[in-house]
Amino acid sequence: CDRRYRMRSAVARSSRAAFAPAGAGSRRLMSSGTVTVDLDKPYLLHKLESEPPMTAEVTRDELLGYYSLMFRMRRMEISADTLYKAKHVKGFCHLYDGQEAICVGMEAGATWGDSVVTSYRDHAWQLSRGDTVKGVLCELLGKQGGCAKGMGGSMHMYKADANFYGGNGIVGSQAPLGAGMAFAHKYNNDGCCAFALYGDGASNQGQLFEALNMAALMKLPLVYVCENNQYGMGTSKKRSSANHDYYTKGHYVPGIKCDGMNVLSVRECTKFLKKHAVEVGPIVVEFDTYRYHGHSMSDPGITYRNREEVAQVRATRDPVDRVKKYCLDTELVTEAEIKEIDKEIKAEVVAAVEAAKSAPMPDPSELWTDIHVGQTKDFFMRGPDITTSSGVYGTVV
């Protein structure tokens, strides 16, 4: 797969010191300047003879990169929460805080040549594929400077130049799109694969199984990614699915379950998934994760679960804290460096919020753009009343 699409490490903005040797523990120092970390949660397999490694080799720069990007995502989503409550964000808004390790770990194990399509919980993916915090927030606020010119909003992020195809507002609709993207990769023989992400709430949709059947028949390089955050809207997995071992629901398609709260586990699993998809065919992965907010901003998130449950996950499994712990336990990064990164990112997000709030609204003329492919300026489009129409009456091209 074309390496120019390799994930651009966020650490390029924050790497400071040379590699620092460390003591013992659950990691081993390698002569190449890497540390080997033991992963603590085993994979569960379905119709597979091999599995990803239970260790991960990681460098200082990689750890700093993962931490910086995940912390940036967390602060961005917290700001989105505040902006929504202040009525700056209109319509739906689904936040990703708690699930950051999946996005960042997958990016670390794949390349930008690999296609990604996801659900409406898409802000972090837009950021990981090269957009800025300001760009994401401009789209959320319906302002110029957003990826869809402020006309798509929260659920319709998009970055075709990095093979990110949304952001889809219809539950499960991204699954057949992912199969089509996988078909394109196979047709072009480019060595890349497609990742189609969906939640446990979409896992029983008929269109998932129809598309997966076609992918299996054609041996497409497709990875179905179930982000199991334990609740489909306000319904727990045990109340919605007769089989909530989502990694087995491909039936005749192999599957694997992975700790979705550990960025290194996700990274190693993603490498394994891509290799299988390209060389063998489709595969299903279930990333075990948790969302801190409700399903969307209109859901308080505590009517079907209690605050103690959320607090327990935050205290024991938080993905940002986990990668921070790796940074410190390996002694590759100091507490002072972490604090400096936190300070810089908080300032960056505050500046992005103010920039998005002050950005101009889309020009009214944009209402008539991007309606038809290849439309001319004279192409006629009728408004609510004839006097507000655009173009020249009778012009059809």
Side-chain angles (χ1 to χ4, degrees):
C1 197
D2 194 335
R3 309 321 285 182
R4 64 190 167 154
Y5 289 110
R6 176 66 67 182
M7 175 187 175
R8 292 179 297 185
S9 173
V11 76
R13 295 184 292 273
S14 56
S15 181
R16 291 169 179 79
F19 174 80
S26 62
R27 55 101 186 117
R28 298 182 292 280
L29 186 63
M30 307 291 286
S31 60
S32 61
T34 66
V35 165
T36 299
V37 176
D38 296 321
L39 305 176
D40 56 359
K41 198 166 184 178
Y43 305 101
L44 300 181
L45 307 180
H46 170 67
K47 299 181 76 67
L48 285 170
E49 299 296 328
S50 60
E51 66 179 24
M54 282 301 296
T55 61
E57 294 184 7
V58 65
T59 67
R60 165 190 160 83
D61 280 1
E62 287 172 336
L63 283 175
L64 277 171
Y66 304 154
Y67 177 76
S68 297
L69 185 53
M70 290 169 67
F71 187 71
R72 183 174 286 106
M73 290 173 176
R74 179 68 58 87
R75 297 303 304 181
M76 179 180 73
E77 294 293 66
I78 290 171
S79 294
D81 170 282
T82 303
L83 288 164
Y84 185 94
K85 290 173 178 174
K87 303 187 185 307
H88 290 289
V89 178
K90 313 297 183 185
F92 295 104
C93 184
H94 305 80
L95 302 183
Y96 202 68
D97 49 325
Q99 301 181 212
E100 299 93 343
I102 296 176
C103 176
V104 175
M106 286 181 63
E107 290 284 36
T111 76
W112 283 4
D114 300 306
S115 301
V116 174
V117 63
T118 189
S119 67
Y120 33 72
R121 207 175 301 279
D122 57 354
H123 309 159
W125 277 100
Q126 182 72 15
L127 187 66
S128 75
R129 286 271 152 157
D131 207 339
T132 62
V133 176
K134 177 187 172 183
V136 174
L137 295 181
C138 278
E139 191 60 42
L140 279 176
L141 271 60
K143 299 295 189 69
Q144 290 183 28
C147 61
K149 305 179 185 178
M151 296 183 287
S154 170
M155 298 194 292
H156 300 289
M157 300 291 166
Y158 195 83
K159 206 169 190 304
D161 63 351
N163 287 318
F164 176 54
Y165 298 103
N168 290 269
I170 304 300
V171 175
S173 66
Q174 62 274 24
L177 293 177
M181 288 153 39
F183 181 85
H185 285 303
K186 182 165 186 174
Y187 184 85
N188 292 324
N189 193 29
D190 58 12
C192 295
C193 71
F195 295 96
L197 292 88
Y198 57 94
D200 49 291
S203 65
N204 297 309
Q205 289 249 334
Q207 57 186 325
L208 271 77
F209 299 102
E210 292 180 36
L212 188 58
N213 178 63
M214 294 176 66
L217 283 170
M218 293 185 278
K219 295 182 170 56
L220 300 182
L222 172 65
V223 181
Y224 262 13
V225 181
C226 179
E227 295 184 283
N228 176 14
N229 60 24
Q230 316 307 316
Y231 298 93
M233 298 187 73
T235 305
S236 71
K237 63 183 182 182
K238 293 183 179 180
R239 293 180 59 219
S240 66
S241 296
N243 173 13
H244 47 81
D245 290 327
Y246 299 106
Y247 68 103
T248 69
K249 295 189 75 167
H251 305 295
Y252 42 82
V253 172
I256 184 169
K257 184 175 181 178
C258 172
D259 181 5
M261 304 294 268
N262 185 333
V263 68
L264 296 182
S265 293
V266 174
R267 185 190 74 176
E268 296 308 308
C269 187
T270 300
K271 294 175 183 177
F272 177 89
L273 294 166
K274 177 177 177 177
K275 186 175 189 296
H276 184 282
V278 171
E279 296 179 0
V280 180
I283 187 169
V284 177
V285 63
E286 174 188 347
F287 286 128
D288 183 32
T289 187
Y290 198 84
R291 58 169 164 80
Y292 294 151
H293 273 84
H295 169 72
S296 69
M297 285 300 298
S298 61
D299 168 21
I302 53 171
T303 56
Y304 47 88
R305 60 183 185 178
N306 56 48
R307 296 182 188 276
E308 289 71 25
E309 177 184 311
V310 181
Q312 175 70 10
V313 176
R314 283 186 183 273
T316 60
R317 298 186 65 207
D318 184 80
V320 180
D321 285 348
R322 170 68 71 90
V323 72
K324 177 180 177 180
K325 190 173 188 301
Y326 280 140
C327 288
L328 298 176
D329 286 357
T330 58
E331 300 178 16
L332 297 178
V333 184
T334 67
E335 185 72 46
E337 288 177 303
I338 292 290
K339 288 181 179 179
E340 183 63 23
I341 291 170
D342 291 356
K343 180 181 176 181
E344 290 178 0
I345 289 175
K346 287 178 181 178
E348 173 192 336
V349 173
V350 168
V353 167
E354 294 307 312
K357 286 163 67 174
S358 61
M361 298 291 288
D363 190 276
S365 64
E366 289 287 355
L367 180 66
W368 307 103
T369 63
D370 303 319
I371 306 301
H372 296 273
V373 174
Q375 69 185 54
T376 66
K377 65 181 181 62
D378 292 332
F379 179 77
F380 181 75
M381 290 170 283
R382 195 185 191 285
D385 111 14
I386 195 71
T387 63
T388 61
S389 300
S390 175
V392 178
Y393 184 76
T395 304
V396 294
V397 292

